[in-house]
């Protein structure tokens, strides 16, 4: 158990819908990262927050957005969903930006768009 | 841009030693990390090399040669539970916050 929690574990929704994925980092970690992993693919970095502020962006679609709240939990919002958005979405955390090389991952949310 | 290359699949025998290589191309380098991911599971941090040389953690070791832009993960005394995908990763040259992962090496272990 990494100490990072993600909800929900599974999500099935229809095209065109909007969903919110939630993540709570390990106690004491200020940095939160979001990744997308499609079937048999590597991890694609989406976005990173540090202590409530956006710090880095990857190839995140405009339909996707995220935020980190004062209690440090983070939410990833996916809208106008398409079939291709079906994937595993992982949240990870690290103590701070300087420790980004050592991240602790949550169990992931498996999103299925039908 | 930055890129990492690793073999897509490696097969080894239980009890043996296996080496998973990773070569990278980046203009700025902050170190090489390794992660393990079992099927259906989350990636787990294994090791980090900031400097050249070998880092040992139990049965796993990781090596880095910055002059060769090359690193490897060495797994000894292989166990069936080591069957998993292994990813190398580097920090993005433009932002230390952004991590670039390799496409992963699927390690299969035979009895």
């Amino acid at each position: 158990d990494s100490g990072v929690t993600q909800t929900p574990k599974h999500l099935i929704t229809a095209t065109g819908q909007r969903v919110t994925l939630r993540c709570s980092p390990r106690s004491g970690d200020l940095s939160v990262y979001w990744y997308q992993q499609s079937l048999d693919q590597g991890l694609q970095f989406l976005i990173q927050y540090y202590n409530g502020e956006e710090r880095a962006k990857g190839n995140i679609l405009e339909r996707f957005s995220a935020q980190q709240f004062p209690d440090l939990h983070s939410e990833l919002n996916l809208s106008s969903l398409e079939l291709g958005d079906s994937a595993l979405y992982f949240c990870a955390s690290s103590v701070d930006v300087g420790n980004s090389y050592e991240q602790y991952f949550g169990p992931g949310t498996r999103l299925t768009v039908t | 841009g930055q890129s990492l290359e690793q073999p897509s699949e490696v097969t080894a025998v239980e009890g043996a030693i296996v080496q998973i290589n990773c070569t990278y191309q980046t203009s700025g380098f902050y170190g090489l990390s390794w992660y393990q991911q079992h099927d259906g599971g989350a990636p787990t941090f294994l090791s980090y090399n900031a400097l050249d040389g070998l880092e040992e953690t139990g049965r796993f070791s990781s090596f880095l040669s910055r002059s060769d832009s090359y690193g490897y993960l060495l797994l000894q005394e292989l166990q069936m539970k080591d069957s998993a995908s292994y990813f190398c990763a580097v920090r993005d040259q433009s932002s230390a916050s952004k991590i670039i992962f390799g496409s992963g090496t699927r390690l299969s272990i035979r009895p």
Side-chain angles (χ1 to χ4, degrees):
Chain A
D1 184 356
S2 68
V4 178
T5 61
Q6 287 187 250
T7 56
K9 277 188 124 174
H10 301 276
L11 201 49
I12 302 175
T13 189
T15 54
Q17 294 298 305
R18 172 190 168 95
V19 298
T20 297
L21 313 183
R22 183 188 167 104
C23 166
S24 291
R26 287 189 321 164
S27 176
D29 285 0
L30 298 178
S31 254
V32 170
Y33 311 77
W34 286 98
Y35 295 89
Q36 180 192 58
Q37 187 174 39
S38 301
L39 192 63
D40 293 331
Q41 296 294 309
L43 290 151
Q44 299 298 318
F45 171 78
L46 295 177
I47 198 164
Q48 185 240 348
Y49 282 82
Y50 174 75
N51 206 20
E53 293 190 6
E54 181 186 305
R55 293 295 294 269
K57 249 181 172 176
N59 296 325
I60 187 167
L61 299 171
E62 284 192 15
R63 300 183 286 109
F64 295 3
S65 65
Q67 59 186 123
Q68 187 180 28
F69 295 87
D71 67 353
L72 301 178
H73 91 271
S74 178
E75 293 180 357
L76 179 67
N77 301 297
L78 315 176
S79 61
S80 303
L81 285 167
E82 302 175 358
L83 295 177
D85 297 328
S86 296
L88 255 177
Y89 291 85
F90 287 106
C91 165
S93 71
S94 67
V95 173
D96 56 31
V97 173
N99 295 88
S100 62
Y101 59 84
E102 181 176 349
Q103 297 182 18
Y104 293 85
F105 283 75
T109 293
R110 183 172 295 281
L111 173 66
T112 303
V113 182
T114 61
Chain B
Q2 293 178 280
S3 66
L4 298 107
E5 284 192 21
Q6 23 178 161
S8 58
E9 291 185 27
V10 171
T11 301
V13 177
E14 190 176 15
I17 299 173
V18 72
Q19 178 174 312
I20 298 173
N21 299 321
C22 174
T23 57
Y24 58 87
Q25 285 188 332
T26 175
S27 59
F29 182 72
Y30 300 97
L32 188 72
S33 299
W34 288 94
Y35 288 80
Q36 177 193 59
Q37 184 180 27
H38 287 99
D39 284 347
T44 303
F45 173 77
L46 291 177
S47 68
Y48 173 67
N49 294 69
L51 302 174
D52 289 357
L54 193 67
E55 296 279 344
E56 297 181 67
T57 310
R59 294 187 297 112
F60 293 5
S61 303
S62 56
F63 172 82
L64 176 66
S65 169
R66 288 175 298 171
S67 59
D68 296 322
S69 297
Y70 163 76
Y72 65 72
L73 181 69
L74 191 74
L75 295 82
Q76 303 182 74
E77 301 172 17
L78 285 171
Q79 301 175 10
M80 298 303 291
K81 68 178 182 180
D82 298 328
S83 294
S85 291
Y86 293 84
F87 296 89
C88 57
V90 296
R91 295 198 219 179
D92 186 83
Q93 65 194 58
S94 61
S95 167
S97 301
K98 185 177 168 184
I99 306 298
I100 310 296
F101 282 82
S103 54
T105 298
R106 190 174 187 87
L107 173 63
S108 299
I109 299 175
R110 305 191 317 259

